[in-house]
Amino acid sequence: AEIYDTPPALTIVSPEGIHPDNSAFIQVAENSVNVTQVAAEDVPGSTLIYRLQDGEDRDKFLLDENTGTLRFKEVPDWEDPKDADANNNYMLLWQVLNSNGDARSQFLVVQVTDLPE
């Protein structure tokens, strides 16, 4: 049997599609506030807290600190983008903290896509 000296590190596991630069790209159809569920894993028994850390569009989102559910505050409209540079690509940085104060962050680009009107 193998013996591990250190427990598994705090690791971001979702959203999928993590690039080498530790960012993720998500497409969301307009007219829905639901974006994704961010998630991390850590040693058993550790409490994880999710929060919005930074990003020019972070004020457009709500992140449940217990579940990691990420949502728009207002329903996005492809024809009327509200992101900082008005191109329907919303930028934010979210963070997860564990009971020991360790933290990991992930940069997200949430692209709002057009639906036929």
Side-chain angles (χ1 to χ4, degrees):
E2 294 183 28
I3 298 174
Y4 295 96
D5 292 334
T6 56
L10 178 61
T11 307
I12 291 173
V13 293
S14 183
E16 295 295 327
I18 298 172
H19 299 294
D21 61 358
N22 197 33
S23 65
F25 178 77
I26 298 172
Q27 289 186 312
V28 177
E30 65 176 334
N31 304 328
S32 173
V33 295
N34 297 320
V35 177
T36 192
Q37 178 118 13
V38 299
E41 50 189 36
D42 197 15
V43 297
S46 180
T47 301
L48 300 179
I49 297 174
Y50 300 95
R51 69 180 195 181
L52 294 174
Q53 185 180 9
D54 204 354
E56 59 190 15
D57 299 307
R58 78 171 172 186
D59 62 333
K60 306 289 187 235
F61 295 92
L62 298 170
L63 179 59
D64 187 297
E65 69 176 17
N66 299 308
T67 66
T69 300
L70 181 67
R71 305 179 63 198
F72 278 102
K73 287 182 181 175
E74 297 178 9
V75 176
D77 180 359
W78 187 83
E79 287 79 16
D80 184 21
K82 301 291 188 204
D83 57 303
D85 51 4
N87 66 356
N88 279 306
N89 289 322
Y90 293 77
M91 315 287 184
L92 69 138
L93 184 71
W94 68 274
Q95 182 180 61
V96 57
L97 296 124
N98 70 9
S99 305
N100 298 329
D102 295 330
R104 297 287 180 275
S105 300
Q106 183 183 48
F107 182 74
L108 284 184
V109 177
V110 179
Q111 182 182 61
V112 174
T113 59
D114 194 14
L115 288 175
E117 301 289 327

